[in-house]
Amino acid sequence: MSESRGVRAVKSASRTVALLELLAGRGDRPARLDELAAELEVPRSSMYQLLQTLVDCGWVRSDTTGSLYGIGIRALLTGTGYLDGDAHVRAVRPCLDEASDTLGETIHLARLDGPDVVYLATRESHEYPRTLSRVGRRVPAHAGALGKALLAERPDEELPLPVGPLAALTENTHTDRAALLADLARVRERGHSVDREETVPGIAGFGFALRYDTPAVDAVSCSVPVTRLTDEHEARIVSVMRELRTRIETLAAPAPGTPDWR
């Protein structure tokens, strides 16, 4: 049981959050009672009671047999509330539309959350298929343009990297820490990050940290198929995204009295 600000964690609340996060992370793979009890090291009877309570509240759903469990619709409502209540997301959304229309490419907004980035908004290009960058998706920060742009805003000794090996999403993902640190040094020099098929095969990305917070926690990026990426198009992407960053940082500057959620 961990403590925060001197307050001891409530066991039942911690267990409930762990269960919801586990179910959310499984996506379209529902789980059985025994799986959940074993994964969270909770007695089967206690897990059953917790699941039934959450089913009744709409946070968990079960199939018609009552043997399979998945995340419920209340989680969607809460996630939507988070996005609607965030002033930065509201300010950035119109800018993403404009950048996507200008470049004809997919534009993302994401936020650093521990060792990962979480997608908060995406404007998809109509020129090529989706890149699985749906809102709410988590991606290791070391593995792509958004995360590297945000990691580069921090000293090497303060990087929120996981303990142990760095996960590989593709054969181009940095799994060696020394190589990652060298890449972050280049990000700091040029002012933006570059992802060449490190997150999704066939997709390149260019990431720009949004410095309305210090250190930055949000970033925008442009994703483009490598088959469409000429030197001229890359230069245009970087130019448009730099202008986008400047405009967002001006629009999203906190108003007096705005809560600081960091």
Side-chain angles (χ1 to χ4, degrees):
M1 299 283 285
S2 62
E3 294 186 4
S4 176
R5 300 178 184 177
V7 178
R8 184 173 176 80
V10 178
K11 184 176 181 180
S12 59
S14 297
R15 182 176 290 176
T16 299
V17 171
L19 172 60
L20 292 173
E21 290 183 343
L22 176 58
L23 289 173
R26 292 179 64 92
D28 61 354
R29 297 179 296 111
R32 297 184 180 276
L33 171 61
D34 290 341
E35 292 179 88
L36 297 171
E39 178 73 19
L40 297 180
E41 300 180 344
V42 174
R44 190 177 188 277
S45 59
S46 299
M47 178 57 69
Y48 178 76
Q49 293 173 354
L50 178 56
L51 283 167
Q52 295 312 305
T53 299
L54 293 173
V55 167
D56 291 341
C57 295
W59 283 90
V60 172
R61 60 179 174 174
S62 62
D63 71 338
T64 55
T65 69
S67 61
L68 294 174
Y69 298 92
I71 196 70
I73 196 169
R74 290 288 175 183
L76 172 62
L77 300 177
T78 300
T80 301
Y82 176 86
L83 295 174
D84 291 343
D86 191 286
H88 288 154
V89 175
R90 293 198 305 271
V92 170
R93 280 170 173 161
C95 299
L96 302 186
D97 292 330
E98 182 180 338
S100 183
D101 290 342
T102 298
L103 293 170
E105 307 296 353
T106 297
I107 311 297
H108 309 291
L109 167 69
R111 180 163 294 164
L112 190 67
D113 182 34
D116 302 326
V117 291
V118 180
Y119 286 85
L120 301 179
T122 292
R123 296 297 180 264
E124 296 283 351
S125 168
H126 300 298
E127 302 297 328
Y128 57 92
R130 293 179 58 87
T131 58
L132 299 179
S133 51
R134 62 187 181 275
V135 171
R137 182 191 180 207
R138 302 180 73 90
V139 173
H142 68 272
L146 288 159
K148 291 194 298 181
L150 291 168
L151 291 179
E153 295 292 301
R154 292 152 174 79
D156 288 348
E157 61 273 14
E158 296 179 11
L159 296 179
L161 296 174
V163 176
L166 300 176
L169 300 188
T170 74
E171 62 180 15
N172 296 319
T173 305
H174 288 304
T175 57
D176 178 75
R177 290 173 188 266
L180 174 62
L181 295 181
D183 193 352
L184 295 181
R186 292 190 291 272
V187 174
R188 296 179 186 115
E189 290 175 0
R190 75 167 78 93
H192 67 274
S193 63
V194 179
D195 161 9
R196 300 195 187 278
E197 302 184 79
E198 296 171 33
T199 309
V200 179
I203 299 294
F206 303 87
F208 299 76
L210 300 174
R211 295 168 179 145
Y212 42 64
D213 288 318
T214 304
V217 294
D218 294 347
V220 289
S221 73
C222 175
S223 295
V224 54
V226 294
T227 55
R228 289 159 55 91
L229 189 61
T230 62
D231 290 343
E232 293 76 15
H233 193 32
E234 178 172 337
R236 184 163 182 262
I237 288 172
V238 171
S239 175
V240 169
M241 294 300 291
R242 280 178 175 162
E243 293 178 5
L244 175 69
R245 171 169 60 187
T246 300
R247 188 160 68 256
I248 289 174
E249 288 174 346
T250 301
L251 291 173
T258 302
D260 185 350
W261 295 108
R262 286 175 293 169

